[in-house]
Every structure is written in structure tokens, then in C-alpha cells.
Amino acid sequence: MFNYSKVALGIAACFALSGCLEVEDNNNNNNNNNDALVQQLEQQNQILQNQLDYTKQKAEAWKTAITLVGSVELATEGDTLPSDLSVTFYYNGQWHDAVSLAADGSFEVSELPANTDFIAKVSSASNAIVKRHFFFKTPAKDDKFIQNLLPLTVGQPETIEFTVLDEKTNLPFKELHLEADLDASSYGFSTLKQIAGDNLSKATLNSETGMYELVAPKGFSLPLEQDRDLDNDGIDDVDKLEVYRTNDLSKNKLFYLDKVQAEEFKLVLNFINKDGETVKPEHVFATNNSFGQANFVYDEALKTHSIDANFYNSLRINIPAFSIEDTLYRSKTLYIGNYNDQTESYSVSGAVSNYGDKQIALEDNVLSVVVVLQENSEKDISLDLVTRSEVLNQEQAFTYFFNAPIAINEEAVVSIQQENVLVATPGNASKDDSIDPGTTYFEYKNVEVESSNSLSFNDTALTLKPNAKLEEGYNYRFNVEKVVNKKSGKLESINYSHNETIESSETFSEDAFVADNMNYRKAGKLIIATNSAGEVAGNYTSNEGSPCLLLNKKYNVFFESITPISAVVNGVSTTLSASKNWGYNDYTLHQLADNEGTINKSWSVRTGAAQNNGLYIASCFNTRDTNGNYIRFEDHSATNENSITVEIEYFTDENGEREYKTVEKKLYID
């Protein structure tokens, strides 16, 4: 083992610190100078040791810094808390002993760790209240701090009874999977939610009464979730029960439901002309045979086309135009659906003419359909768009089906456009425009995106796709304007277009809600330091601003209501007395320096946000404290907390079906 002198240790410590004490080397080796050097280095050692001791104290202090003050309350007035009520906390990897509660349900627990995730479980041994878990995090503190929790609200159990009948038999529907999550919001605490485990109330069928029963806490209206995929194959087996919260069950009481079943049979098509002679089309295919093949198989001996049909709702079949010798046959589209249980038949549209349906019976699970094809007296058939694929595929492509083969040449016009894009042109972008440096010109316009196309199904199907992934939240127009008719070799106008909004490919998380004071800064620092003329920014706006709640438009989520609850302003907790909401608007955010002039800028363009450029839904509001003063927020930083706690009610809209949710969020001001 080596022995190091105090001098050597002092030098090592000195090099470990910034701004070390410099010792002048005067080439004097007398003992006085050595003693002075040792003394100086020992002093430096002591400073370092003091710093280390202080750091250790702080490192230990956070473990007992927090005192939690809270209470358990019933959601209904006039009811009494049970005597066996208990509150237990989970933190630092384990459940701890139940805390002491006063008669009114209040409690205070000290010496708890800061910056730590907690679960609070509220229950009673006699089940006098419905057990709930609450999730929260203690603040990052290394000094004593009192954290006031929102009331832990619980309810006495009550049984909600409701009836669900089978639409076809009018008997009780036996395969309803409906449940309510009894816990408080676990948004942002997915790991804690897993630890707490499922705390669900599931609807059960009472065989004696024929009614479903669901136990819910009295005074609550909890969101409901229905599992429609009974066999876990990724496909819904049951229709949607039009209820969203437990209150809906209490109000309506009677519901009707039916199972969703795929139509499954063998489909055989026999094509004939007007004289009853058998005709063989060049190509026959189905565009939505969900669980089967698209292309029909031709039987040479029977002169028929067949397919194993396996689909939901309605099957669409396409026969592109074709020719046999000098005879041209028009394209045709068939629709098969609307199964009739009593007659064991399907409704077939388009087999004989383009109008009217025919009921055709199943025989040994085979549906045989005779299809009359119409001749075209014209030598060259005009192009017509028969249909297109219903949804974007994984490559964000659409396929368009024509009544005859087509070709794409240099004259063809097939494109994808991004619609209503905000184009910002700064004054230093070009010397040839009239935009002065220090100024940005805004305009909304449609912008074509690079795309490619390909042909299939004997050149009767055109697939159009973007070369790069389309931007989420934006609207795109797919255009098929002009294509070449291969039969005639002529360029024909189709003039078909449709719009698609690209939704987010990622699962929505409530972490996507953000708060912004629109002050051209983030964490107190300018987002853009100079304008397009090179002039320094920062003296044209305040560090403070009113809060806006923002959510990227790429999510299919909409605000219903936003209620501010409390705030922290420059580290000080502030009680709110009033707030005024300025509505819910769609904004295009585009970051600029605060001294950048603008031309043609509309009200929907906001230039001071800390968020990435793009489309957002926003709600801005003014808040007042208990003295009636307007509250303006600076940016949040590690040393200067600025936050607002809000209750957000929002909904998603899937094919006209709205699902409402409510969450309480503490949002730090960007």
C-alpha cells in the first residue's frame, strides 16, 4: 500500500476543483514557504470536505423532506365514513403500515421521501366503501416541505341494474363484457398502475332476474370500457353498447345488442351475355373479402368463377371491361350482403342491372349468382373509376379500380397534395422578392408531395402512394385527374379526388397535453435569438404571459371543457378565484423572433409558442388569484416553478362514436 502525503492529497483535491488556489513559485526552498503551502492546501482540503459534507446532508435530507397532509372524503353528502377506513401508502418498492386517520378522515404523515412515486390505497375491511387507488408524486425537495393532497374521494357501494337484450331473440344478451375502472387517474403512472393491479367492477348477468349488475361507488360517474373482441383474434365480435359512463346505465336501463358475425360461404359466379351465352371475363376480383382471397378462380369445365367468401357487412366484386374478338363488354360491380335468416338468402345488387336488388338463396352454403354482362356498342370504351380501396394501407397508399385497363405516361396527372399548408417566407430568403429582411410573409396554400404509382389487376387498378411518410395531423388530397385508356391509347379526364386526414400512428397519451405562455421563450431563454435581418431579439415581449393549453392535432382528440384548479407562480402556490376561457381554436404554430415583422399573418397563426411548428388545438384563458389580480406566468425552470393544475374533459371521435374522459393534470409552463 502507498502512503500519500497531505500535500499530495491537497494538490489532487485542488485539481478536482475549479478556480484552485494558485501558489507562486519563487524558487525559495526554505521551510517557511513549505509550511505556508501546506497550510494553504489544508485549508483547501477543509473547504472541499465541507462541501462534501453539505452534499451528503442534502443527499440524505430528501429521504425525509415531505409531510403529506390530506383527507378521505365521501362523494355523497350526508353519508358517514366507516370506522374501519384505512389508508396505506406504497413507495420505495413496498407497501407501508396504514396511516392514522382522524374522525373526519384527515391525516398527516411526515418524514416521507421527496421526488418519489406514491400509491394511496383507500379501503375498508367491511367493504363499506369501494376500494380505490390514487397515484401521485412528491415534489423534488431537500428541505422540509408540506404537500397538500387533493381529497381522496371514495364512495359507498351501490349496485346499478340494467337490461341488455339480444336484438334478434329479445332474450337476455349473455356475452356482454363491460367494466369500470374504480381507481383514480393513473395517467403518467403506468408502472404504479401495474403494481396496484386491476381494480375493476365488471358487469355480471343475474340469471334469476335476467338483468346485468355492476357495483360502482355511490356519487361517481366512472368511464366504461367494453371488450368487443370475445375470442381475442383482433376482430370485434359484438356490437358497441352505446354507453360511456356508469351514469348512462342508470338513466337508460334498457339496451339492445347483437353479435357481429362474418358472412362465410362459397360464391360461384356464372357470366352470360344478353343472349344467355356463357362469357369469360378477363379478370374478376373482390376488394373487401376480409378473410379470403381477392381473385376468383376459374373452372374451365363448369365455366364459372368462384371464391371462398369471408367478410363483414357487404362484399364488393369488380369485373373490369374486357373484349372478346370484336365484342366489348362493360365493367360491372356487384354487391352481396344483408343476409336474411328466415329465407336463408342474400341480397345481390348489380347482377342483372345496375339498379335493384335480388334475393338469392344459399344451397349447401353455396351462393350461385348469374351475372348478365352488358355489351358496349362503342368501339372504344370510355374510362370510368369504378371504386377505390376504403382505407389507407401501411404504405399510406390508395388503390383506384377502373372499368378498363389504363396506362400512365408523361401527360397523365396523378398526384398527392398537402392541403392548406402554412408557408413562411423570411425576408432574407431571396433578393428577388419584395419581402424586406426582418419580415416574414405568410400564406396558406396546397403543396404537392412526391409520390409514385403502380398498376395491377391487368392494369385496371392504379395504386398511388407518397414517397415519404405523410405528416400526421395534416389533410391530403389524392388526385386522379388524367390517365391513358389503353384500349384507345387516348388520354382521358377522370377528375376524381378525395381527402384524407393523417391521424397519429402512436397511441394517444395524456402526456401530450402541454401548457405554454406564448412568450417567445422556453425555460426563460429566447427560442430564436435574432430576426431575419440579424437584429437581436428579446426586448419586444415580456417574460410573462397568460397560459394556453395545447394538443397536437395529429391525435383524434377534442377538448370538451378545461377548468383551472390551482397554480404555482414563481415557486409560490396560488389559489385561483376565477378564470375565463377564450374558446377552443385550431392554431398553426410557427416560431419566430419577437422582433420579426409579419405580412399576411392570420389570427390562426401563433408565433411565440415553445412547441414545435405544426397544427394544434388550443384553449387560452385568463386566471385571477383570490385578490382579483390577473396571473401571468413565466417559463418553468428547475429553479423557478411555474405550473397550472387543470381538469381536462376531452373526447375521441371514432366514426361518429365519442368516448369522453376526464383527467386532472399539473402542467408546467413552457
Side-chain angles (χ1 to χ4, degrees):
M1 178 178 291
F2 295 101
N3 291 318
Y4 292 95
S5 69
K6 289 185 177 180
V7 174
L9 289 172
I11 292 173
C14 181
F15 280 109
L17 295 170
S18 61
C20 291
L21 177 65
E22 294 185 5
V23 180
E24 183 179 353
D25 184 2
N26 58 8
N27 296 320
N28 188 338
N29 294 324
N30 61 51
N31 291 333
N32 290 336
N33 285 339
N34 283 338
D35 291 343
L37 176 60
V38 171
Q39 184 179 4
Q40 290 173 343
L41 292 176
E42 287 182 340
Q43 290 174 349
Q44 186 71 60
N45 279 342
Q46 187 59 49
I47 293 172
L48 177 60
Q49 186 60 50
N50 291 341
Q51 292 174 337
L52 291 173
D53 291 343
Y54 180 77
T55 302
K56 287 181 180 179
Q57 292 172 5
K58 291 297 183 183
E60 291 296 320
W62 73 274
K63 297 180 181 179
T64 57
I66 303 300
T67 296
L68 290 179
V69 176
S71 64
V72 180
E73 296 181 2
L74 286 173
T76 50
E77 294 183 4
D79 291 326
T80 305
L81 289 170
S83 59
D84 61 351
L85 186 71
S86 67
V87 176
T88 53
F89 289 130
Y90 175 95
Y91 59 91
N92 287 348
Q94 63 179 339
W95 289 97
H96 295 75
D97 294 337
V99 304
S100 298
L101 300 178
D104 62 355
S106 62
F107 60 85
E108 180 176 319
V109 188
S110 59
E111 298 190 349
L112 296 175
N115 197 29
T116 300
D117 291 340
F118 273 71
I119 305 173
K121 178 173 67 175
V122 184
S123 60
S124 71
S126 62
N127 295 321
I129 59 106
V130 177
K131 181 182 69 176
R132 296 193 81 197
H133 295 102
F134 299 82
F135 308 91
F136 62 94
K137 186 172 185 175
T138 52
K141 303 289 183 181
D142 52 22
D143 291 322
K144 297 298 182 183
F145 182 83
I146 296 176
Q147 182 179 2
N148 291 296
L149 296 177
L150 291 173
L152 308 179
T153 308
V154 294
Q156 298 174 340
E158 69 173 350
T159 300
I160 302 173
E161 294 182 324
F162 59 100
T163 302
V164 181
L165 299 179
D166 190 304
E167 282 186 354
K168 295 177 180 177
T169 65
N170 224 31
L171 297 174
F173 189 89
K174 296 182 178 180
E175 296 189 71
L176 174 66
H177 292 187
L178 188 70
E179 61 189 28
D181 192 336
L182 301 171
D183 287 344
S185 172
S186 59
Y187 173 70
F189 297 98
S190 57
T191 301
L192 290 186
K193 180 61 175 173
Q194 292 177 7
I195 293 170
D198 288 339
N199 186 25
L200 306 172
S201 178
K202 299 184 179 183
T204 58
L205 181 62
N206 186 319
S207 58
E208 295 182 0
T209 65
M211 301 179 71
Y212 276 94
E213 298 174 350
L214 187 143
V215 178
K218 188 178 177 183
F220 284 81
S221 181
L222 298 175
L224 293 166
E225 293 288 341
Q226 180 188 0
D227 183 5
R228 299 168 61 193
D229 181 9
L230 303 182
D231 54 8
N232 297 316
D233 62 354
I235 300 171
D236 290 339
D237 305 301
V238 178
D239 288 338
K240 182 174 178 59
L241 190 71
E242 296 297 332
V243 293
Y244 303 99
R245 306 186 74 86
T246 50
N247 273 4
D248 297 335
L249 299 175
S250 302
K251 293 175 183 176
N252 298 318
K253 295 291 187 183
L254 177 61
F255 305 89
Y256 288 90
L257 206 54
D258 196 8
K259 276 192 172 183
V260 177
Q261 293 182 337
E263 307 296 335
E264 191 171 359
F265 54 87
K266 183 175 182 178
L267 175 62
V268 179
L269 301 181
N270 182 17
F271 295 98
I272 62 173
N273 61 18
K274 60 183 177 58
D275 298 323
E277 300 169 331
T278 300
V279 178
K280 180 185 176 183
E282 291 180 8
H283 199 58
V284 182
F285 60 93
T287 59
N288 62 336
N289 195 28
S290 306
F291 311 107
Q293 297 296 316
N295 294 311
F296 280 69
V297 176
Y298 183 67
D299 188 316
E300 188 69 44
L302 299 176
K303 308 297 182 185
T304 60
H305 290 76
S306 65
I307 195 174
D308 290 329
N310 196 342
F311 62 94
Y312 281 124
N313 299 321
S314 176
L315 182 66
R316 184 175 60 243
I317 303 154
N318 295 289
I319 305 97
F322 64 98
S323 62
I324 299 177
E325 296 179 349
D326 293 332
T327 303
L328 298 175
Y329 289 92
R330 297 179 183 273
S331 64
K332 184 176 281 289
T333 301
L334 309 181
Y335 295 92
I336 299 176
N338 295 328
Y339 180 70
N340 188 311
D341 285 304
Q342 295 181 348
T343 61
E344 295 184 345
S345 63
Y346 283 91
S347 174
V348 180
S349 173
V352 178
S353 67
N354 292 329
Y355 306 98
D357 296 341
K358 299 292 183 181
Q359 290 296 128
I360 299 181
L362 277 174
E363 181 68 24
D364 295 329
N365 208 41
V366 176
L367 188 71
S368 299
V369 181
V370 176
V371 182
V372 179
L373 297 175
Q374 303 295 320
E375 297 179 9
N376 190 346
S377 59
E378 299 177 7
K379 183 177 180 180
D380 295 321
I381 187 171
S382 297
L383 284 179
D384 183 29
L385 181 64
V386 177
T387 187
R388 67 167 173 84
S389 53
E390 294 183 0
V391 295
L392 282 171
N393 64 17
Q394 292 182 348
E395 295 181 319
Q396 295 185 323
F398 273 106
T399 299
Y400 303 86
F401 300 93
F402 293 87
N403 63 336
I406 67 167
I408 303 296
N409 62 10
E410 294 181 354
E411 295 181 284
V413 181
V414 178
S415 65
I416 303 174
Q417 288 184 328
Q418 186 177 8
E419 290 202 311
N420 208 31
V421 181
L422 180 68
V423 178
T425 306
N428 58 354
S430 172
K431 295 181 180 179
D432 300 328
D433 57 32
S434 59
I435 307 170
D436 294 330
T439 305
T440 292
Y441 178 80
F442 287 103
E443 61 178 329
Y444 283 100
K445 62 181 183 181
N446 298 340
V447 178
E448 185 169 339
V449 301
E450 292 186 0
S451 61
S452 56
N453 55 75
S454 59
L455 297 174
S456 59
F457 289 130
N458 196 29
D459 293 344
T460 61
L462 167 68
T463 299
L464 175 60
K465 68 177 182 179
N467 291 350
K469 187 177 180 181
L470 300 179
E471 192 171 354
E472 295 175 346
Y474 283 86
N475 192 60
Y476 291 84
R477 180 181 293 272
F478 287 71
N479 300 304
V480 181
E481 298 181 28
K482 296 180 180 180
V483 296
V484 176
N485 186 335
K486 284 186 71 174
K487 295 288 186 181
S488 65
K490 296 178 180 179
L491 184 71
E492 294 190 21
S493 296
I494 302 300
N495 293 325
Y496 177 84
S497 65
H498 74 278
N499 291 66
E500 287 291 323
T501 299
I502 308 302
E503 295 180 3
S504 175
S505 57
E506 61 185 270
T507 303
F508 169 70
S509 165
E510 290 169 345
D511 284 336
F513 292 122
V514 294
D516 201 314
N517 55 6
M518 304 285 187
N519 69 345
Y520 295 85
R521 296 162 177 83
K522 186 174 181 65
K525 296 182 179 180
L526 288 172
I527 300 168
I528 298 180
T530 61
N531 65 10
S532 59
E535 299 164 338
V536 177
N539 296 322
Y540 303 86
T541 52
S542 170
N543 289 331
E544 301 175 334
S546 297
C548 293
L549 184 64
L550 299 169
L551 178 65
N552 197 298
K553 285 281 288 181
K554 67 182 181 181
Y555 303 109
N556 191 32
V557 174
F558 306 88
F559 292 140
E560 179 71 11
S561 66
I562 299 171
T563 306
I565 298 173
S566 62
V568 177
V569 182
N570 295 330
V572 179
S573 295
T574 303
T575 302
L576 306 182
S577 63
S579 63
K580 184 175 182 179
N581 189 307
W582 299 104
Y584 309 103
N585 300 298
D586 289 346
Y587 286 141
T588 304
L589 303 186
H590 187 88
Q591 294 176 348
L592 289 182
D594 65 358
N595 59 341
E596 180 80 7
T598 59
I599 303 173
N600 201 39
K601 175 176 168 291
S602 71
W603 68 269
S604 63
V605 177
R606 302 294 295 267
T607 57
Q611 316 309 316
N612 294 331
N613 293 350
L615 302 178
Y616 290 79
I617 182 172
S619 177
C620 300
F621 41 84
N622 284 330
T623 55
R624 295 176 184 263
D625 60 21
T626 52
N627 295 321
N629 300 316
Y630 281 111
I631 300 174
R632 292 175 63 81
F633 295 85
E634 294 184 11
D635 290 353
H636 172 75
S637 67
T639 58
N640 189 37
E641 179 177 341
N642 277 272
S643 66
I644 187 164
T645 299
V646 292
E647 182 181 88
I648 307 168
E649 184 177 2
Y650 66 94
F651 64 89
T652 57
D653 193 337
E654 295 292 342
N655 300 321
E657 295 184 357
R658 291 188 176 186
E659 181 178 359
Y660 288 85
K661 293 186 178 181
T662 302
V663 64
E664 184 177 302
K665 290 285 293 179
K666 180 178 182 179
L667 301 174
Y668 294 101
I669 307 296
D670 284 336

